[in-house]
């Protein structure tokens, strides 16, 4: 059992509430510290005792606005605000996630509108895709490489889109139309060592022959003519003609001998060399003449320019070689005409500017190889040309329907759509989390069926003011009850008065005490902090009755009842002082009075010290203020004493002050204007004030009444 309680020194003059008993009654006006005592007990002894504190209906009866019901019990009441908060969050979230009946805007409508914009823009692009694919298929069938070409094919080709120049288009068209060409005729290029020919020619030119006869010719032509004539007139057997075939004159053996002497064997040998050289040069010219240019028609378009350039090189080389060979033939012919004359050799630099046939052959082989390689890869090249032209057409179509702008606009819409979808899904996830929290909170609710049954039985005692708790259906949580009136119709919880809520809470508290009796291992402490709140007489009677039974039954529990209600105080304490002088007396009574901002605790030891009714309480308060020398605070209770006495005795209050108008100011005006308890509005002390009161009662013939109450309490 608790023997004493430590109290906050900022509110109480005494720091300890002492001499506590099994049953304790504390009386004090509002603001004197009753709740502070309750909380001090709870704070100091919560770990040692099973403490049950009743502070009114707020911790026991909660409002379930969703079901228009009450949440019954401390657990259900404590969790109900959390449930309603979760329900409100769900409602708020749903305002974002569900269609609106009006024209308002929420996340759902925003997402719906952006989806419509997205689908519209997407359809616009799809229509362009279809139109473009049809355009390409109908006008450029060769480019699609198949009979069908549709929207999907066009979309697939968009990444390949590339605009070609006019020249590039023509080039690719030629390539696309390219046919497979025949084999290129082989070109033979002679292998000519010009330095060898030049050396031989120079040897001929440098050859020196001495004349062996004294025959004089007019010129080289005449000399050449005589040499050729000698050869023409010689027979195969070595003999000569006797008559000249040209002039008919006889040819003497001396003339023949002189000519043969002039044209010696060395001359003949040189002549023979010249003749062979001339033949070789002529043969070489024939070989060079046979070199033919490449047939452009056997080369693909890609190499036409190279073929033309190569043929020009070949033709130039041929001409240069022909000119060179003709020059050589001419030079050695001159030597042949005058073999006895020394001729300067030709400079070797003469052949350096001539194109080598070996180089031409290498160029030919390279060009032929490229052409053959291209031929081998022609299918791939043609397909590449088709792709290039198709990419160009795709690019043209994209430009025609302003694809870049439409795609950019679709991208912006899609980004906004994605943003709304993310927010929408986030809100859905948030809703799922709140829904899960709500489910968990509802699982925390507990059944209060037994308590509700007991409460309903007790409420029937209220008669015409009774009502019934009915378990709410479809609540998804326990301990929720609607209110049914005497007319068997459901009442809104908004119609429940504070007193009705308080009586339900009080009865639940009493019921819970019974249910928890066997569950707690620690001794039980029961505290009622102002249990009477806004209750009418019938409810007060029910509460008083229940507390009186509790005081009798709870022999093992320690009980604290704190109140400011004088009627409740007097009626609950029936037989309170019985056997108060016996050692077994286990009750304690305390009165609280507030002085200068702090409450003073008075423990009553005799019935005479206790209150009897409201009127006696006023006299008790005056006595206490008188003893504590608080004249300024005596005025208000004295005014109420005068009013009560006059009402009870049917006396006009104004006549009370007829013989003493100054008293009217004391007990009427000043009693309503005390703002500072430390002030002295009347200028009289407690003894002077009390004398005025005695005189007033004496003037109306009620001095005995005054003496009875004052003697009783003095």
């Amino acid at each position: 059992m608790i023997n004493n309680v430590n109290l906050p020194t900022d509110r109480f003059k005494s720091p300890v509430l002492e001499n506590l008993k099994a049953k304790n009654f504390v009386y004090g006006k509002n603001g004197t510290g009753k709740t502070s005592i309750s909380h001090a007990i709870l704070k100091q002894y919560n770990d040692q005792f099973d403490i049950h504190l009743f502070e009114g209906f707020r911790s026991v009866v909660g409002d379930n606005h969703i079901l228009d019901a009450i949440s019954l019990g401390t657990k259900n009441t404590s969790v109900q605000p959390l449930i309603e908060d979760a329900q409100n969050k769900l409602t708020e979230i749903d305002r974002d996630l569900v269609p609106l009946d009006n024209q308002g805007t929420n996340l759902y409508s925003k997402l719906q509108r952006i989806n419509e914009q997205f689908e519209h823009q997407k359809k616009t692009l799809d229509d362009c895709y279809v139109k473009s694919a049809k355009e390409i298929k109908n006008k450029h069938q060769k480019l699609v490489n198949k009979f069908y070409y549709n929207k999907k094919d066009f979309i697939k080709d968009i990444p390949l889109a590339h605009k070609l120049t006019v020249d590039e288009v023509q080039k690719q068209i030629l390539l696309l139309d390219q046919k497979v060409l025949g084999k290129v005729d082989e070109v033979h290029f002679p292998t000519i060592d010009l330095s060898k020919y030049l050396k031989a020619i120079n040897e001929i030119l440098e050859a020196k022959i001495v004349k062996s006869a004294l025959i004089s010719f007019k010129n080289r032509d005449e000399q050449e003519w005589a040499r050729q004539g000698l050869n023409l007139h010689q027979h195969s057997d070595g003999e000569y003609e006797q008559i000249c075939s040209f002039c008919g004159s006889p040819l003497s053996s001396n003339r023949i001998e002189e000519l043969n002497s002039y044209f010696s064997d060395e001359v003949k040998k040189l002549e023979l060399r010249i003749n062979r050289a001339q033949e070789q040069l002529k043969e070489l010219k024939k070989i060079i003449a046979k070199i033919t240019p490449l047939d452009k028609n056997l080369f693909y378009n890609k190499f036409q320019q190279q073929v033309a350039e190569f043929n020009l090189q070949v033709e130039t080389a041929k001409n240069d070689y022909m000119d060179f060979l003709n020059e050589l033939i001419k030079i050695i012919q001159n030597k042949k005409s005058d073999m006895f004359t020394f001729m300067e050799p030709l400079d070797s630099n003469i052949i350096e500017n001539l194109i080598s046939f070996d180089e031409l052959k290498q160029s030919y082989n390279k060009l032929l190889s490229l052409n053959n390689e291209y031929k081998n890869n022609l299918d791939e090249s043609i397909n590449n040309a088709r792709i290039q032209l198709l990419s160009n057409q795709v690019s043209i179509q994209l430009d025609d329907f302003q694809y870049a702008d439409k795609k950019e606009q679709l991208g912006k819409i899609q980004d906004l759509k994605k943003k709304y979808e993310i927010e929408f899904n986030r809100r859905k996830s948030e809703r799922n989390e709140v829904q899960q929290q709500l489910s968990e909170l509802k699982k925390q609710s507990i059944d209060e069926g037994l308590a509700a049954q007991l409460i309903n039985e007790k409420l029937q005692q209220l008669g015409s003011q009774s009502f019934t708790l009915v378990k709410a259906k479809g609540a998804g949580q326990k301990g929720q009850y609607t209110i049914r009136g005497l007319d068997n119709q459901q009442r809104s919880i908004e119609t429940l008065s504070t007193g009705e809520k308080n009586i339900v809470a009080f009865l639940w508290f009493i019921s819970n005490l019974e249910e928890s009796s066997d569950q707690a291992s620690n001794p039980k402490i029961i505290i009622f902090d102002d249990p009477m709140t806004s209750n009418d007489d019938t409810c007060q009677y029910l509460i008083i009755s229940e507390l009186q039974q509790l005081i009798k039954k709870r022999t093992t529990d320690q009980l604290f009842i704190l109140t400011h209600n004088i009627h409740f105080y007097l009626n609950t304490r029936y037989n309170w002082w019985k056997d108060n002088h016996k050692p077994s007396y286990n009750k304690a009574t305390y009165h609280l009075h507030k002085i200068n901002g702090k409450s003073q605790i008075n423990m009553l030891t005799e019935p005479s010290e206790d209150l009897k009714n409201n009127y006696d309480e006023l006299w008790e308060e005056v006595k206490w203020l008188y003893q504590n020398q608080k004249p300024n605070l005596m005025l208000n209770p004295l005014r109420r004493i005068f009013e009560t006495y006059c009402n009870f005795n049917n006396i006009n209050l104004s006549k009370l002050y007829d013989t003493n108008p100054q008293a009217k100011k004391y007990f009427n005006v000043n009693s309503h204007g005390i703002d500072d308890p430390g002030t002295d509005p009347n200028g009289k002390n407690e003894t002077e004030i009390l004398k005025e009161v005695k005189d007033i009662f004496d003037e109306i013939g009620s001095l005995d009444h005054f003496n009875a109450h004052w003697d009783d309490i003095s």
Side-chain angles (χ1 to χ4, degrees), residues 184-247:
V184 177
D185 295 332
E186 186 176 358
V187 178
H188 298 282
F189 292 95
T191 301
I192 303 174
D193 186 357
L194 292 179
S195 61
K196 177 181 177 182
Y197 284 98
L198 184 60
K199 179 180 179 182
I201 297 301
N202 282 336
E203 288 177 353
I204 292 173
L205 295 178
E206 292 175 341
K208 296 180 180 180
I209 300 176
V210 179
K211 297 177 182 179
S212 58
L214 297 176
I215 299 177
S216 177
F217 294 101
K218 295 179 181 180
N219 50 47
R220 293 175 59 184
D221 291 337
E222 186 179 296
Q223 177 182 305
E224 179 62 20
W225 182 83
R227 186 186 65 78
Q228 291 182 4
L230 182 62
N231 292 333
L232 289 173
H233 286 80
Q234 186 178 18
H235 293 171
S236 59
D237 57 2
E239 297 295 328
Y240 290 91
E241 292 286 343
Q242 297 296 314
I243 301 299
C244 178
S245 300
F246 297 102
C247 64

Side-chain angles (χ1 to χ4, degrees), residues 556-604:
T556 60
D557 302 328
Q558 189 172 17
L559 182 65
F560 291 84
I561 303 176
L562 303 96
T563 184
H564 75 286
N565 189 306
I566 185 66
H567 176 78
F568 167 78
Y569 175 83
L570 293 172
N571 286 278
T572 305
R573 292 158 51 82
Y574 179 74
N575 285 334
W576 181 262
W577 291 102
K578 184 179 180 181
D579 299 329
N580 67 302
H581 292 294
K582 293 182 179 181
S584 60
Y585 184 72
N586 63 349
K587 300 175 183 178
T589 302
Y590 301 88
H591 284 189
L592 305 178
H593 299 278
K594 199 163 190 179
I595 302 175
N596 296 331
K598 288 189 177 183
S599 295
Q600 179 175 305
I601 303 173
N602 292 332
M603 183 176 180
L604 280 60

Side-chain angles (χ1 to χ4, degrees), residues 210-374:
V210 179
K211 297 177 182 179
S212 58
L214 297 176
I215 299 177
S216 177
F217 294 101
K218 295 179 181 180
N219 50 47
R220 293 175 59 184
D221 291 337
E222 186 179 296
Q223 177 182 305
E224 179 62 20
W225 182 83
R227 186 186 65 78
Q228 291 182 4
L230 182 62
N231 292 333
L232 289 173
H233 286 80
Q234 186 178 18
H235 293 171
S236 59
D237 57 2
E239 297 295 328
Y240 290 91
E241 292 286 343
Q242 297 296 314
I243 301 299
C244 178
S245 300
F246 297 102
C247 64
S249 299
L251 290 173
S252 63
S253 56
N254 291 333
R255 185 62 177 175
I256 292 299
E257 185 177 351
E258 287 178 355
L259 289 173
N260 279 329
S261 177
Y262 187 87
F263 300 108
S264 64
D265 291 338
E266 289 188 12
V267 173
K268 290 181 179 180
K269 290 179 182 180
L270 181 57
E271 183 181 13
L272 183 60
R273 287 177 64 188
I274 291 173
N275 289 339
R276 284 200 301 269
Q278 287 178 332
E279 289 300 324
Q280 289 177 358
L281 292 174
K282 290 178 181 179
E283 189 64 28
L284 192 56
K285 286 178 61 178
K286 291 179 182 180
I287 293 173
I288 292 173
K290 290 180 180 180
I291 298 175
T292 58
L294 297 177
D295 187 353
K296 292 176 62 175
N297 295 325
L298 296 179
F299 284 83
Y300 293 100
N301 294 329
K302 182 176 182 179
F303 307 107
Q304 291 295 309
Q305 182 63 30
Q306 297 180 54
V307 170
E309 293 174 357
F310 177 79
N311 284 341
L312 180 60
Q313 282 185 317
V314 170
E315 191 64 29
T316 300
K318 285 175 64 177
N319 293 333
D320 290 345
Y321 269 87
M322 287 298 187
D323 292 342
F324 176 70
L325 293 176
N326 288 333
E327 183 65 23
L328 291 181
I329 292 172
K330 179 180 177 182
I331 290 173
I332 61 174
Q333 182 61 38
N334 292 335
K335 179 66 176 179
K336 184 178 179 180
S337 300
D338 187 9
M339 289 184 289
F340 299 104
T341 303
F342 173 80
M343 298 182 68
E344 292 290 336
L346 298 174
D347 191 343
S348 60
N349 293 333
I350 195 173
I351 63 175
E352 289 183 358
N353 295 326
L354 295 176
I355 298 174
S356 170
F357 285 114
D358 288 339
E359 293 179 5
L360 290 176
K361 186 174 183 179
Q362 290 177 6
S363 298
Y364 163 76
N365 290 336
K366 182 177 181 181
L367 187 56
L368 184 62
S369 176
L370 291 173
N371 193 65
N372 291 336
E373 181 180 357
Y374 184 82

